[in-house]
Amino acid sequence: MSYPIPAETLETTLEIKKSLFHACAGYAPDREAAMTIIEQCKQRYPDARHHCWAYLLGDPNSPTSAAMNDDGEPSGTAGKPILNVLQHKGIGDIIVVVSRYFGGIKLGAGGLVRAYSGATQQSLEQLAIKKRIARQRYRVECDFKHEQYLRLWLEQHNAVVRGCDYAQGAILDIAIPASKLAELDNLLASLSNSRRLSH
């Protein structure tokens, strides 16, 4: 399953009636990663009055998880508008944190909704995105003499080596795009003592 994800962590600032809205958009493949980005924003803007956020995990068309937080702003004026923008952008595994510095002029509920939506929108318009490549995990066994060649081939075919055990030969723990599986099997068949193991 492939879908667009953030290719970077990006920060933008929106000023509305002297209030500053610092929006930080980033890649969050799971809840822990999202919480880490929220903490980083709190450390970057320790004296901001609010750190409101929303995230969308998994495929944006059928997310595995979504959450939001108003962080002290009136209910429904911050987290929900951020999440609404995320839900219409078609980007998965994403979090947006908006840190607000109050400028002395009250914006009212409608103004807050527009401000948090606007800050999120501005950030996502500038955010670089890339395609998430769905990979399947396998274990591959090969002779020591073929290990470097195999690692190079995997790297060139968008696969990731997650680990390696050594026994009679090398056993690589890999994650490979499903579309490359037949090519991998053909390669292994051509190398002595090499095969794909069930995971």
Side-chain angles (χ1 to χ4, degrees), residues 11-24 45 98-101 107 111-123 126:
E11 224 170 276
T12 56
T13 303
L14 185 65
E15 185 175 342
I16 298 174
K17 294 183 179 170
K18 298 199 170 93
S19 273
L20 293 178
F21 294 84
H22 297 286
C24 174
Y45 301 110
V98 181
S99 303
R100 178 191 180 198
Y101 283 89
L107 301 180
L112 286 174
V113 168
R114 283 191 296 278
Y116 281 102
S117 297
T120 305
Q121 188 80 29
Q122 174 179 288
S123 195
Q126 297 174 37

mmCIF file of all heavy atoms in Angstrom, residues 11-24 45 98-101 107 111-123 126:
data_model
loop_
_atom_site.group_PDB
_atom_site.id
_atom_site.type_symbol
_atom_site.label_atom_id
_atom_site.label_comp_id
_atom_site.label_asym_id
_atom_site.label_seq_id
_atom_site.Cartn_x
_atom_site.Cartn_y
_atom_site.Cartn_z
ATOM 1 N N GLU A 11 8.316 23.963 9.322
ATOM 2 C CA GLU A 11 7.691 24.917 10.217
ATOM 3 C C GLU A 11 7.330 26.188 9.472
ATOM 4 O O GLU A 11 8.130 26.685 8.683
ATOM 5 C CB GLU A 11 8.679 25.254 11.330
ATOM 6 C CG GLU A 11 8.010 25.256 12.666
ATOM 7 C CD GLU A 11 9.036 25.342 13.772
ATOM 8 O OE1 GLU A 11 9.583 24.297 14.158
ATOM 9 O OE2 GLU A 11 9.273 26.466 14.210
ATOM 10 N N THR A 12 6.136 26.680 9.706
ATOM 11 C CA THR A 12 5.722 27.956 9.119
ATOM 12 C C THR A 12 5.065 28.790 10.226
ATOM 13 O O THR A 12 4.660 28.251 11.257
ATOM 14 C CB THR A 12 4.700 27.755 7.978
ATOM 15 O OG1 THR A 12 3.577 27.016 8.488
ATOM 16 C CG2 THR A 12 5.310 26.987 6.813
ATOM 17 N N THR A 13 4.970 30.099 10.008
ATOM 18 C CA THR A 13 4.359 30.981 11.004
ATOM 19 C C THR A 13 3.290 31.845 10.349
ATOM 20 O O THR A 13 3.491 32.372 9.262
ATOM 21 C CB THR A 13 5.428 31.893 11.648
ATOM 22 O OG1 THR A 13 6.438 31.062 12.230
ATOM 23 C CG2 THR A 13 4.823 32.767 12.748
ATOM 24 N N LEU A 14 2.166 31.926 11.035
ATOM 25 C CA LEU A 14 1.059 32.760 10.569
ATOM 26 C C LEU A 14 0.778 33.782 11.668
ATOM 27 O O LEU A 14 0.681 33.416 12.840
ATOM 28 C CB LEU A 14 -0.177 31.875 10.333
ATOM 29 C CG LEU A 14 -1.418 32.520 9.720
ATOM 30 C CD1 LEU A 14 -1.139 32.998 8.297
ATOM 31 C CD2 LEU A 14 -2.572 31.518 9.697
ATOM 32 N N GLU A 15 0.680 35.057 11.295
ATOM 33 C CA GLU A 15 0.374 36.095 12.297
ATOM 34 C C GLU A 15 -1.027 36.616 12.048
ATOM 35 O O GLU A 15 -1.363 37.007 10.934
ATOM 36 C CB GLU A 15 1.387 37.246 12.217
ATOM 37 C CG GLU A 15 1.161 38.262 13.324
ATOM 38 C CD GLU A 15 2.213 39.374 13.361
ATOM 39 O OE1 GLU A 15 3.288 39.209 12.772
ATOM 40 O OE2 GLU A 15 1.922 40.409 13.979
ATOM 41 N N ILE A 16 -1.855 36.588 13.086
ATOM 42 C CA ILE A 16 -3.217 37.110 12.990
ATOM 43 C C ILE A 16 -3.483 37.981 14.212
ATOM 44 O O ILE A 16 -3.436 37.509 15.344
ATOM 45 C CB ILE A 16 -4.261 35.968 12.916
ATOM 46 C CG1 ILE A 16 -4.013 35.121 11.649
ATOM 47 C CG2 ILE A 16 -5.675 36.534 12.908
ATOM 48 C CD1 ILE A 16 -4.867 33.904 11.552
ATOM 49 N N LYS A 17 -3.732 39.258 13.973
ATOM 50 C CA LYS A 17 -4.000 40.230 15.064
ATOM 51 C C LYS A 17 -2.992 40.082 16.200
ATOM 52 O O LYS A 17 -3.358 39.912 17.363
ATOM 53 C CB LYS A 17 -5.425 40.052 15.588
ATOM 54 C CG LYS A 17 -6.475 40.419 14.554
ATOM 55 C CD LYS A 17 -7.878 40.313 15.123
ATOM 56 C CE LYS A 17 -8.909 40.703 14.088
ATOM 57 N NZ LYS A 17 -10.272 40.407 14.502
ATOM 58 N N LYS A 18 -1.739 40.102 15.853
ATOM 59 C CA LYS A 18 -0.617 40.041 16.794
ATOM 60 C C LYS A 18 -0.415 38.682 17.470
ATOM 61 O O LYS A 18 0.540 38.485 18.207
ATOM 62 C CB LYS A 18 -0.727 41.140 17.861
ATOM 63 C CG LYS A 18 -0.675 42.559 17.287
ATOM 64 C CD LYS A 18 -0.316 43.544 18.372
ATOM 65 C CE LYS A 18 -0.023 44.912 17.829
ATOM 66 N NZ LYS A 18 -1.175 45.802 17.805
ATOM 67 N N SER A 19 -1.327 37.726 17.260
ATOM 68 C CA SER A 19 -1.095 36.360 17.760
ATOM 69 C C SER A 19 -0.248 35.630 16.716
ATOM 70 O O SER A 19 -0.477 35.773 15.518
ATOM 71 C CB SER A 19 -2.418 35.609 17.929
ATOM 72 O OG SER A 19 -2.964 35.869 19.201
ATOM 73 N N LEU A 20 0.739 34.874 17.196
ATOM 74 C CA LEU A 20 1.588 34.095 16.294
ATOM 75 C C LEU A 20 1.199 32.620 16.375
ATOM 76 O O LEU A 20 1.063 32.070 17.466
ATOM 77 C CB LEU A 20 3.063 34.245 16.669
ATOM 78 C CG LEU A 20 3.682 35.623 16.465
ATOM 79 C CD1 LEU A 20 5.139 35.615 16.925
ATOM 80 C CD2 LEU A 20 3.605 36.052 14.998
ATOM 81 N N PHE A 21 1.024 32.005 15.217
ATOM 82 C CA PHE A 21 0.687 30.584 15.142
ATOM 83 C C PHE A 21 1.834 29.875 14.422
ATOM 84 O O PHE A 21 1.971 29.995 13.208
ATOM 85 C CB PHE A 21 -0.631 30.383 14.389
ATOM 86 C CG PHE A 21 -1.822 30.961 15.107
ATOM 87 C CD1 PHE A 21 -2.148 32.308 14.977
ATOM 88 C CD2 PHE A 21 -2.611 30.166 15.927
ATOM 89 C CE1 PHE A 21 -3.238 32.850 15.645
ATOM 90 C CE2 PHE A 21 -3.709 30.699 16.598
ATOM 91 C CZ PHE A 21 -4.019 32.044 16.465
ATOM 92 N N HIS A 22 2.672 29.175 15.192
ATOM 93 C CA HIS A 22 3.785 28.424 14.613
ATOM 94 C C HIS A 22 3.294 27.011 14.314
ATOM 95 O O HIS A 22 3.010 26.250 15.243
ATOM 96 C CB HIS A 22 4.969 28.348 15.586
ATOM 97 C CG HIS A 22 5.560 29.677 15.920
ATOM 98 N ND1 HIS A 22 6.343 30.379 15.029
ATOM 99 C CD2 HIS A 22 5.477 30.440 17.036
ATOM 100 C CE1 HIS A 22 6.725 31.515 15.588
ATOM 101 N NE2 HIS A 22 6.207 31.579 16.800
ATOM 102 N N ALA A 23 3.204 26.660 13.035
ATOM 103 C CA ALA A 23 2.734 25.318 12.658
ATOM 104 C C ALA A 23 3.923 24.454 12.277
ATOM 105 O O ALA A 23 4.769 24.855 11.496
ATOM 106 C CB ALA A 23 1.763 25.413 11.492
ATOM 107 N N CYS A 24 3.976 23.265 12.865
ATOM 108 C CA CYS A 24 5.039 22.318 12.556
ATOM 109 C C CYS A 24 4.392 21.041 12.020
ATOM 110 O O CYS A 24 3.587 20.425 12.709
ATOM 111 C CB CYS A 24 5.846 22.012 13.814
ATOM 112 S SG CYS A 24 7.075 20.734 13.558
ATOM 113 N N TYR A 45 9.126 26.134 21.759
ATOM 114 C CA TYR A 45 8.323 27.321 22.123
ATOM 115 C C TYR A 45 7.794 27.156 23.547
ATOM 116 O O TYR A 45 6.591 27.016 23.762
ATOM 117 C CB TYR A 45 7.154 27.490 21.137
ATOM 118 C CG TYR A 45 7.615 27.648 19.707
ATOM 119 C CD1 TYR A 45 7.391 26.643 18.774
ATOM 120 C CD2 TYR A 45 8.282 28.800 19.289
ATOM 121 C CE1 TYR A 45 7.826 26.775 17.462
ATOM 122 C CE2 TYR A 45 8.721 28.942 17.988
ATOM 123 C CZ TYR A 45 8.486 27.930 17.075
ATOM 124 O OH TYR A 45 8.914 28.061 15.776
ATOM 125 N N VAL A 98 0.417 23.141 16.271
ATOM 126 C CA VAL A 98 0.393 24.599 16.138
ATOM 127 C C VAL A 98 0.588 25.204 17.526
ATOM 128 O O VAL A 98 -0.237 25.008 18.423
ATOM 129 C CB VAL A 98 -0.922 25.108 15.503
ATOM 130 C CG1 VAL A 98 -0.886 26.627 15.360
ATOM 131 C CG2 VAL A 98 -1.162 24.448 14.146
ATOM 132 N N SER A 99 1.714 25.908 17.693
ATOM 133 C CA SER A 99 2.025 26.567 18.969
ATOM 134 C C SER A 99 1.615 28.027 18.845
ATOM 135 O O SER A 99 2.033 28.720 17.919
ATOM 136 C CB SER A 99 3.528 26.464 19.265
ATOM 137 O OG SER A 99 3.925 25.103 19.282
ATOM 138 N N ARG A 100 0.790 28.497 19.803
ATOM 139 C CA ARG A 100 0.240 29.853 19.696
ATOM 140 C C ARG A 100 0.783 30.786 20.773
ATOM 141 O O ARG A 100 0.790 30.453 21.952
ATOM 142 C CB ARG A 100 -1.279 29.795 19.824
ATOM 143 C CG ARG A 100 -1.898 31.182 19.766
ATOM 144 C CD ARG A 100 -3.367 31.175 20.143
ATOM 145 N NE ARG A 100 -3.918 32.523 20.079
ATOM 146 C CZ ARG A 100 -5.044 32.896 20.659
ATOM 147 N NH1 ARG A 100 -5.757 32.022 21.330
ATOM 148 N NH2 ARG A 100 -5.469 34.132 20.569
ATOM 149 N N TYR A 101 1.215 31.954 20.315
ATOM 150 C CA TYR A 101 1.562 33.051 21.229
ATOM 151 C C TYR A 101 0.432 34.066 21.149
ATOM 152 O O TYR A 101 0.153 34.606 20.074
ATOM 153 C CB TYR A 101 2.872 33.728 20.803
ATOM 154 C CG TYR A 101 4.099 32.932 21.157
ATOM 155 C CD1 TYR A 101 4.616 31.988 20.278
ATOM 156 C CD2 TYR A 101 4.738 33.116 22.378
ATOM 157 C CE1 TYR A 101 5.738 31.245 20.603
ATOM 158 C CE2 TYR A 101 5.875 32.375 22.709
ATOM 159 C CZ TYR A 101 6.369 31.446 21.821
ATOM 160 O OH TYR A 101 7.477 30.719 22.144
ATOM 161 N N LEU A 107 -9.559 36.541 19.506
ATOM 162 C CA LEU A 107 -9.977 36.235 18.133
ATOM 163 C C LEU A 107 -11.400 35.691 18.063
ATOM 164 O O LEU A 107 -12.007 35.692 17.000
ATOM 165 C CB LEU A 107 -9.019 35.209 17.506
ATOM 166 C CG LEU A 107 -7.540 35.609 17.431
ATOM 167 C CD1 LEU A 107 -6.725 34.497 16.792
ATOM 168 C CD2 LEU A 107 -7.357 36.894 16.655
ATOM 169 N N GLY A 111 -12.739 32.999 14.833
ATOM 170 C CA GLY A 111 -11.392 33.473 14.473
ATOM 171 C C GLY A 111 -10.333 32.428 14.770
ATOM 172 O O GLY A 111 -9.385 32.253 13.998
ATOM 173 N N LEU A 112 -10.506 31.732 15.906
ATOM 174 C CA LEU A 112 -9.546 30.671 16.258
ATOM 175 C C LEU A 112 -9.598 29.524 15.262
ATOM 176 O O LEU A 112 -8.562 29.021 14.815
ATOM 177 C CB LEU A 112 -9.829 30.142 17.678
ATOM 178 C CG LEU A 112 -9.429 31.059 18.833
ATOM 179 C CD1 LEU A 112 -9.908 30.481 20.159
ATOM 180 C CD2 LEU A 112 -7.911 31.261 18.858
ATOM 181 N N VAL A 113 -10.815 29.115 14.898
ATOM 182 C CA VAL A 113 -10.977 28.024 13.916
ATOM 183 C C VAL A 113 -10.268 28.410 12.615
ATOM 184 O O VAL A 113 -9.502 27.623 12.052
ATOM 185 C CB VAL A 113 -12.479 27.721 13.653
ATOM 186 C CG1 VAL A 113 -12.648 26.806 12.443
ATOM 187 C CG2 VAL A 113 -13.108 27.092 14.887
ATOM 188 N N ARG A 114 -10.504 29.650 12.148
ATOM 189 C CA ARG A 114 -9.877 30.106 10.897
ATOM 190 C C ARG A 114 -8.358 30.175 11.039
ATOM 191 O O ARG A 114 -7.623 29.813 10.124
ATOM 192 C CB ARG A 114 -10.433 31.474 10.489
ATOM 193 C CG ARG A 114 -11.823 31.400 9.877
ATOM 194 C CD ARG A 114 -12.241 32.712 9.246
ATOM 195 N NE ARG A 114 -12.365 33.802 10.222
ATOM 196 C CZ ARG A 114 -13.444 33.994 10.978
ATOM 197 N NH1 ARG A 114 -14.481 33.167 10.884
ATOM 198 N NH2 ARG A 114 -13.495 35.001 11.836
ATOM 199 N N ALA A 115 -7.885 30.613 12.197
ATOM 200 C CA ALA A 115 -6.441 30.751 12.416
ATOM 201 C C ALA A 115 -5.744 29.388 12.434
ATOM 202 O O ALA A 115 -4.714 29.198 11.765
ATOM 203 C CB ALA A 115 -6.174 31.489 13.732
ATOM 204 N N TYR A 116 -6.287 28.440 13.183
ATOM 205 C CA TYR A 116 -5.663 27.110 13.252
ATOM 206 C C TYR A 116 -5.760 26.383 11.900
ATOM 207 O O TYR A 116 -4.810 25.712 11.484
ATOM 208 C CB TYR A 116 -6.267 26.273 14.385
ATOM 209 C CG TYR A 116 -5.701 26.661 15.730
ATOM 210 C CD1 TYR A 116 -6.414 27.461 16.617
ATOM 211 C CD2 TYR A 116 -4.420 26.256 16.105
ATOM 212 C CE1 TYR A 116 -5.875 27.843 17.843
ATOM 213 C CE2 TYR A 116 -3.875 26.629 17.332
ATOM 214 C CZ TYR A 116 -4.602 27.427 18.189
ATOM 215 O OH TYR A 116 -4.058 27.805 19.392
ATOM 216 N N SER A 117 -6.894 26.533 11.220
ATOM 217 C CA SER A 117 -7.040 25.943 9.875
ATOM 218 C C SER A 117 -6.032 26.583 8.929
ATOM 219 O O SER A 117 -5.345 25.893 8.164
ATOM 220 C CB SER A 117 -8.439 26.190 9.303
ATOM 221 O OG SER A 117 -9.407 25.570 10.090
ATOM 222 N N GLY A 118 -5.950 27.905 8.988
ATOM 223 C CA GLY A 118 -5.058 28.653 8.090
ATOM 224 C C GLY A 118 -3.600 28.317 8.310
ATOM 225 O O GLY A 118 -2.837 28.147 7.353
ATOM 226 N N ALA A 119 -3.195 28.205 9.582
ATOM 227 C CA ALA A 119 -1.800 27.879 9.903
ATOM 228 C C ALA A 119 -1.457 26.480 9.383
ATOM 229 O O ALA A 119 -0.373 26.251 8.825
ATOM 230 C CB ALA A 119 -1.573 27.960 11.411
ATOM 231 N N THR A 120 -2.407 25.545 9.538
ATOM 232 C CA THR A 120 -2.189 24.168 9.069
ATOM 233 C C THR A 120 -2.116 24.127 7.540
ATOM 234 O O THR A 120 -1.221 23.521 6.960
ATOM 235 C CB THR A 120 -3.333 23.248 9.570
ATOM 236 O OG1 THR A 120 -3.415 23.363 10.989
ATOM 237 C CG2 THR A 120 -3.087 21.804 9.190
ATOM 238 N N GLN A 121 -3.062 24.813 6.918
ATOM 239 C CA GLN A 121 -3.132 24.872 5.452
ATOM 240 C C GLN A 121 -1.825 25.428 4.877
ATOM 241 O O GLN A 121 -1.246 24.864 3.948
ATOM 242 C CB GLN A 121 -4.306 25.796 5.076
ATOM 243 C CG GLN A 121 -4.639 25.826 3.610
ATOM 244 C CD GLN A 121 -5.476 24.631 3.185
ATOM 245 O OE1 GLN A 121 -6.224 24.080 3.960
ATOM 246 N NE2 GLN A 121 -5.306 24.224 1.951
ATOM 247 N N GLN A 122 -1.358 26.521 5.454
ATOM 248 C CA GLN A 122 -0.135 27.182 4.973
ATOM 249 C C GLN A 122 1.056 26.230 5.065
ATOM 250 O O GLN A 122 1.867 26.126 4.152
ATOM 251 C CB GLN A 122 0.124 28.440 5.818
ATOM 252 C CG GLN A 122 1.439 29.139 5.504
ATOM 253 C CD GLN A 122 1.625 30.384 6.361
ATOM 254 O OE1 GLN A 122 0.956 31.386 6.159
ATOM 255 N NE2 GLN A 122 2.519 30.315 7.327
ATOM 256 N N SER A 123 1.132 25.516 6.178
ATOM 257 C CA SER A 123 2.235 24.581 6.393
ATOM 258 C C SER A 123 2.187 23.437 5.371
ATOM 259 O O SER A 123 3.199 23.082 4.771
ATOM 260 C CB SER A 123 2.145 24.029 7.817
ATOM 261 O OG SER A 123 3.338 23.412 8.170
ATOM 262 N N GLN A 126 3.321 24.070 1.736
ATOM 263 C CA GLN A 126 4.767 24.167 1.502
ATOM 264 C C GLN A 126 5.505 22.853 1.804
ATOM 265 O O GLN A 126 6.681 22.727 1.511
ATOM 266 C CB GLN A 126 5.354 25.279 2.377
ATOM 267 C CG GLN A 126 4.803 26.650 2.028
ATOM 268 C CD GLN A 126 5.292 27.708 3.001
ATOM 269 O OE1 GLN A 126 6.426 27.679 3.456
ATOM 270 N NE2 GLN A 126 4.430 28.647 3.327
#
